[in-house]
Amino acid sequence: MIRKGLAFGLLLGLVFCAWAKSEPVDVIVIVDQDCEFCSVSMPKEFLRDKFDNLNFKDIDYKEAQAVKIIKKYKVNYLPCFMFSSAIKKTKNYSKIEKFFQTKKRKIFLTKERSGIFRFLNRKKEDKKIDYFLDFFEDNSSDIFNGLEELAKAGNFKLNVYFLNFTNPGYGYPHQEINTALLVKKLYPDKLFSFLRHRLINIKDVSCSDSLESVGIDAAKIKESNDEATLSELNKENYSFIEEIGIKAGNVVLVENNRIFKIFTPDQEVLKKLFRR
């Protein structure tokens, strides 16, 4: 009798476990399938680590289903992760709810977790590169040189914006940015020469020496170093950085609507950013 009761109890337990398992959650992932660098592996890995019942379906943003979703839910960037409402019933949802947002009864992963590689609400501008440079980040010198070479070879317009998210432990980051902004304003034709020299010598050479080395009057830069001028230049510089949502250096905005973090100055890799 005891054994029968125990067996019956185990059977109930197994039935209960099967019943309690969360129902499958469908996840539509809108991507750019023509983009070699637009990977969604990291956000998928994050989600699989939290939920064991996700059914991913990748669709290109130009497909009819994706176009309909983008329009209906006003999706402004890719990748886009859209979940069925069943995600709210999973046991871990409440623990990471801050990474989700609700739109018309559908659940979307926030951009902080999905990442961004394409802006859908920004108009394409052919042959344009916006480069966000941190003077103190690793590989900045090589990457800048690589982008300058690419711009020259492909007749691209290269714009440079300056920021500092690195704690170098040496130097004066704000002074570096202010000097670069003044050079950009007063000596635009010598900006790239200055940046090449400054990036490779930043540990050993003063700003003034770098300026003089490329034929820029350091005294004129110093005279223009007034609060009003710098305030205006910094506002213009950082307003664009904030508009795009840049959180690190060595990032490029390609043709105004695709964004990538660059880790290598390899020319073949950089060229692929512009292949469609």
Side-chain angles (χ1 to χ4, degrees):
M1 186 73 178
I2 294 176
R3 289 181 179 177
K4 288 183 179 180
L6 179 60
F8 183 67
L10 288 172
L11 180 60
L12 281 177
L14 291 172
V15 172
F16 176 77
C17 287
W19 174 82
K21 187 177 180 180
S22 300
E23 63 179 286
V25 178
D26 294 326
V27 188
I28 292 176
V29 187
I30 303 177
V31 297
D32 181 352
Q33 293 178 340
D34 292 331
C35 177
E36 181 178 345
F37 299 100
C38 300
S39 172
V40 291
S41 60
M42 288 183 65
K44 281 186 176 180
E45 184 179 341
F46 166 77
L47 292 166
R48 287 191 180 107
D49 184 57
K50 305 300 180 183
F51 308 103
D52 60 2
N53 57 336
L54 302 179
N55 295 326
F56 291 105
K57 178 186 177 183
D58 291 6
I59 58 175
D60 186 76
Y61 77 105
K62 297 184 292 295
E63 292 182 24
Q65 183 184 8
V67 171
K68 184 177 179 180
I69 291 170
I70 289 168
K71 182 178 180 180
K72 181 176 181 178
Y73 298 99
K74 298 181 180 179
V75 176
N76 291 324
Y77 54 83
L78 299 179
C80 170
F81 287 74
M82 186 179 78
F83 303 77
S84 64
S85 58
I87 190 72
K88 288 188 173 182
K89 300 177 184 177
T90 57
K91 67 177 183 178
N92 283 332
Y93 180 79
S94 61
K95 297 178 182 178
I96 58 170
E97 189 174 0
K98 66 180 180 179
F99 296 124
F100 297 90
Q101 56 182 327
T102 302
K103 295 181 181 180
K104 299 181 180 180
R105 298 184 182 180
K106 290 293 185 180
I107 315 299
F108 292 82
L109 194 65
T110 63
K111 62 184 177 182
E112 287 74 22
R113 265 301 164 184
S114 69
I116 299 177
F117 51 67
R118 173 180 278 277
F119 294 101
L120 298 175
N121 58 345
R122 297 185 67 86
K123 184 178 179 181
K124 180 182 177 182
E125 297 183 22
D126 292 336
K127 291 186 174 282
K128 178 186 175 187
I129 311 171
D130 294 302
Y131 173 45
F132 301 90
L133 168 65
D134 186 333
F135 281 95
F136 299 94
E137 190 166 319
D138 292 342
N139 290 335
S140 287
S141 178
D142 291 337
I143 289 171
F144 170 73
N145 292 338
L147 286 171
E148 185 184 13
E149 182 181 338
L150 178 68
K152 287 179 179 178
N155 195 28
F156 290 96
K157 181 180 180 181
L158 177 60
N159 302 315
V160 186
Y161 296 85
F162 307 99
L163 46 79
N164 177 239
F165 290 113
T166 305
N167 182 9
Y170 65 90
Y172 303 92
H174 295 300
Q175 179 182 324
E176 298 289 351
I177 292 173
N178 287 341
T179 301
L181 290 173
L182 287 168
V183 172
K184 186 177 182 180
K185 175 181 174 63
L186 300 174
Y187 296 89
D189 57 325
K190 294 185 177 181
L191 175 62
F192 290 176
S193 297
F194 168 72
L195 293 178
R196 283 197 305 273
H197 188 278
R198 192 72 202 123
L199 286 167
I200 202 170
N201 294 292
I202 195 166
K203 288 185 178 182
D204 307 308
V205 176
S206 69
C207 266
S208 295
D209 287 342
S210 287
L211 291 167
E212 297 291 351
S213 295
V214 296
I216 295 175
D217 187 348
K220 184 176 179 180
I221 294 294
K222 187 175 181 179
E223 289 172 5
S224 303
N225 193 9
D226 63 89
E227 186 175 345
T229 299
L230 289 177
S231 177
E232 180 183 348
L233 294 176
N234 274 277
K235 182 178 180 180
E236 180 182 349
N237 179 66
Y238 283 105
S239 63
F240 190 60
I241 290 170
E242 292 171 2
E243 177 187 335
I244 305 302
I246 302 300
K247 302 296 182 183
N250 289 332
V251 171
V252 289
L253 181 66
V254 178
E255 296 184 325
N256 199 47
N257 61 9
R258 289 178 292 132
I259 189 165
F260 305 98
K261 170 75 174 178
I262 300 181
F263 297 96
T264 172
D266 185 275
Q267 277 295 301
E268 288 306 310
V269 173
L270 294 176
K271 287 177 183 177
K272 289 179 181 179
L273 295 176
F274 292 88
R275 292 176 186 163
R276 304 300 301 154

